[in-house]
Amino acid sequence: MPLSDKDSAISTDAFFATLTRIRNVILPAAARSWLNTPRGLLTGFILVHLGFLIFAALLSLRGEAFSDTFIYRDWARAGFDEANLSGGPSPWVYPILALIPMALAGLAGPGPFFFLWVLMTTILNGWGLAKLTDRGRNQNAIPAGWWWLIFTLLMGWLGFARVDGLTAPIVLVALAYGVGRPFIASILLATATWVKVWPAAVMLALFAVVKNRLLVVLAGVATSAVVVALAATIGSVPKLLNFLTQQGDRGMQLEATFTTPWLWLSVLNIGDSRMYMNTDINSMQVDGPGTAVMSVLMQPLLILAALLVAGLTFWALHNGKLNGTGKADGGVDRTELLLAGALTLATAFVVFNKVGSPQFMVWLAPAVAVGLAHSWREWRVPAAMLIAIAVATFFIYPLFYDALSHNNPVMAGVLTIRNVLLVVLFLWSVRRLYSLGKKTSASVPALKES
């Protein structure tokens, strides 16, 4: 490990040693040993997801849904035809493949919609956990599996009642295939991108690091061709790219990172800043001096940030160091670089986004989970930050979103802390990419952590 990385790891040793001591006090040695087994992890998965399934079943029996699944259910009931809707956002605010799980959940009618949606998410999460741990055979990956479960639990309904929760485990599986199976990984990422756009960030990282980039391009083209054929079959080709334009004129969303100054202007009642609900897209936004200009600037800022991170990833690959085995491989360890690039790009998609919905936090988890399985010590810092981000997000939504949207200063403070953590995570990720690309004359073995 290069000296700068080693120093960075040592600087956090005291903090993580304290966490380890607290864990050891709470959990006896026998419990820790059992939890670190495939059976223990499977039990945890069942308990976490069973709780969500029971709650979903109870709501479904009453004919109800939860959060955005109310909107998804209405879309499915209307046949995804805007003419059959009485108002609200269009179903074409999402890419076309997002409509497939909505249609599947609506096959039995509106009653069981929510339960079936949560069941699909549970199945995909199980697939992701199985791939992450090699169905429990990779003992070193089981702690990473537990981290994924804890993060899933903390995010709560943001992962189980939004489209984002379906895409996260698909991206996790794609990253687990990674540079070893780039064609399969690219098909999964392209498919997930046609459900929600954010996996394109991970696909860009994959393109930057694999040896045969043609495979990534071919997989993306082939998947998109199938999507176009599907759209032609149902007569929806004219609407195929509506998701790129439907949100172009929206303002600065309340939770977005760059909205934070106007959030506080609204809380303090300064400069005519105010919060309001954009009913057309079901989004709470902030309006004030300069927000219109910032809203226009956010899209090019996001594109610029993504291009700069992709360029840094390319640079790290071609200007990199010896990999962990001590063998020259054209630069840095490609798997580590893929994960670092994926996290940096996904974080850029959150930080430089004028939307900033709370469910966006699930975008960051797949790279961290696979990173922990790859090298726990190197990835424990972003893992800890993301747990803190998940806790803050849980307080924002669903607990106190109403208070936040009514200028509550305490919740504005929680949101500000969450947004600062996102910026810190982005800067950490950029620094990590840079450190991977620095030339070193020797490689120092990484210390193992008990």
Side-chain angles (χ1 to χ4, degrees):
M1 187 185 300
L3 182 58
S4 60
D5 287 351
K6 184 178 179 182
D7 289 344
S8 175
I10 290 174
S11 67
T12 61
D13 279 351
F15 172 74
F16 287 103
T18 300
L19 291 182
T20 300
R21 286 194 295 270
I22 293 173
R23 180 203 65 187
N24 293 346
V25 169
I26 297 173
L27 293 174
R32 296 198 304 271
S33 298
W34 181 78
L35 290 172
N36 200 36
T37 64
R39 187 184 297 274
L41 182 62
L42 177 60
T43 302
F45 174 85
I46 292 172
L47 290 176
V48 167
H49 289 78
L50 188 60
F52 286 101
L53 285 167
I54 291 173
F55 183 79
L58 292 174
L59 283 185
S60 294
L61 287 173
R62 293 162 50 185
E64 298 181 15
F66 188 85
S67 188
D68 281 13
T69 56
F70 275 112
I71 301 173
Y72 304 159
R73 187 175 67 173
D74 289 343
W75 289 346
R77 186 160 41 187
F80 305 105
D81 187 346
E82 293 160 297
N84 298 329
L85 295 170
S86 58
S90 164
W92 298 98
V93 74
Y94 288 115
I96 188 172
L97 291 190
L99 308 186
I100 293 179
M102 297 176 196
L104 291 174
L107 284 177
F113 184 95
F114 183 44
F115 176 79
L116 293 176
W117 183 272
V118 175
L119 180 61
M120 284 190 291
T121 306
T122 298
I123 292 170
L124 288 173
N125 280 347
W127 180 35
L129 193 63
K131 181 61 182 176
L132 178 67
T133 62
D134 191 22
R135 290 182 291 178
R137 291 191 290 259
N138 184 355
Q139 186 72 26
N140 292 330
I142 289 179
W146 273 109
W147 181 89
W148 170 263
L149 281 181
I150 292 170
F151 179 83
T152 298
L153 179 63
L154 289 173
M155 289 302 294
W157 293 111
L158 293 171
F160 283 92
R162 308 286 175 97
V163 166
D164 308 74
L166 297 176
T167 55
I170 298 175
V171 173
L172 188 152
V173 173
L175 286 172
Y177 278 111
V179 296
R181 305 291 292 274
F183 188 75
I184 295 175
S186 298
I187 288 178
L188 291 171
L189 291 171
T191 301
T193 299
W194 280 105
V195 176
K196 192 75 184 277
V197 177
W198 75 271
V202 181
M203 196 165 187
L204 181 58
L206 182 66
F207 177 82
V209 305
V210 297
K211 293 180 179 179
N212 191 347
R213 296 188 176 97
L214 181 60
L215 288 177
V216 178
V217 175
L218 289 176
V221 170
T223 304
S224 298
V226 172
V227 170
V228 172
L230 173 64
T233 301
I234 61 176
S236 299
V237 171
K239 300 178 179 180
L240 191 61
L241 299 179
N242 278 15
F243 67 94
L244 295 175
T245 59
Q246 290 265 347
Q247 305 192 45
D249 58 350
R250 72 188 299 170
M252 299 294 293
Q253 187 167 326
L254 171 61
E255 305 100 297
T257 306
F258 276 65
T259 304
T260 304
W262 288 280
L263 163 70
W264 280 104
L265 289 176
S266 177
V267 170
L268 300 174
N269 195 25
I270 297 174
D272 297 325
S273 293
R274 65 184 181 91
M275 302 178 188
Y276 69 99
M277 173 60 74
N278 185 335
T279 56
D280 290 337
I281 53 176
N282 192 41
S283 172
M284 183 64 68
Q285 298 180 176
V286 179
D287 187 27
T291 54
V293 175
M294 181 56 70
S295 177
V296 172
L297 291 176
M298 289 308 296
Q299 194 72 9
L301 276 175
L302 175 58
I303 295 172
L304 178 62
L307 291 176
L308 288 175
V309 172
L312 180 60
T313 308
F314 275 109
W315 171 84
L317 177 66
H318 294 289
N319 199 53
K321 57 190 177 182
L322 294 176
N323 64 16
T325 62
K327 298 178 181 178
D329 190 27
V332 66
D333 176 356
R334 290 175 187 262
T335 296
E336 183 65 26
L337 186 58
L338 167 63
L339 298 173
L343 177 60
T344 311
L345 280 162
T347 310
F349 269 42
V350 176
V351 171
F352 295 92
N353 202 316
K354 66 179 177 180
V355 180
S357 296
Q359 69 267 20
F360 288 6
M361 303 310 109
V362 305
W363 302 359
L364 311 177
V368 173
V370 180
L372 287 171
H374 183 68
S375 175
W376 180 272
R377 185 179 180 82
E378 294 295 334
W379 283 84
R380 62 185 184 176
V381 171
M385 280 194 284
L386 201 49
I387 291 297
I389 288 169
V391 171
T393 302
F394 178 75
F395 277 93
I396 295 165
Y397 185 92
L399 289 187
F400 301 110
Y401 193 80
D402 185 65
L404 174 65
S405 62
H406 286 83
N407 292 310
N408 183 283
V410 175
M411 289 313 302
V414 174
L415 178 58
T416 301
I417 292 171
R418 199 281 308 271
N419 288 344
V420 169
L421 284 171
L422 284 171
V423 173
V424 172
L425 179 61
F426 175 70
L427 295 175
W428 182 94
S429 303
V430 170
R431 181 183 179 277
R432 176 68 179 149
L433 268 180
Y434 175 74
S435 69
L436 287 171
K438 285 192 301 182
K439 290 183 178 179
T440 58
S441 58
S443 178
V444 179
L447 297 176
K448 291 187 176 181
E449 186 179 69
S450 59

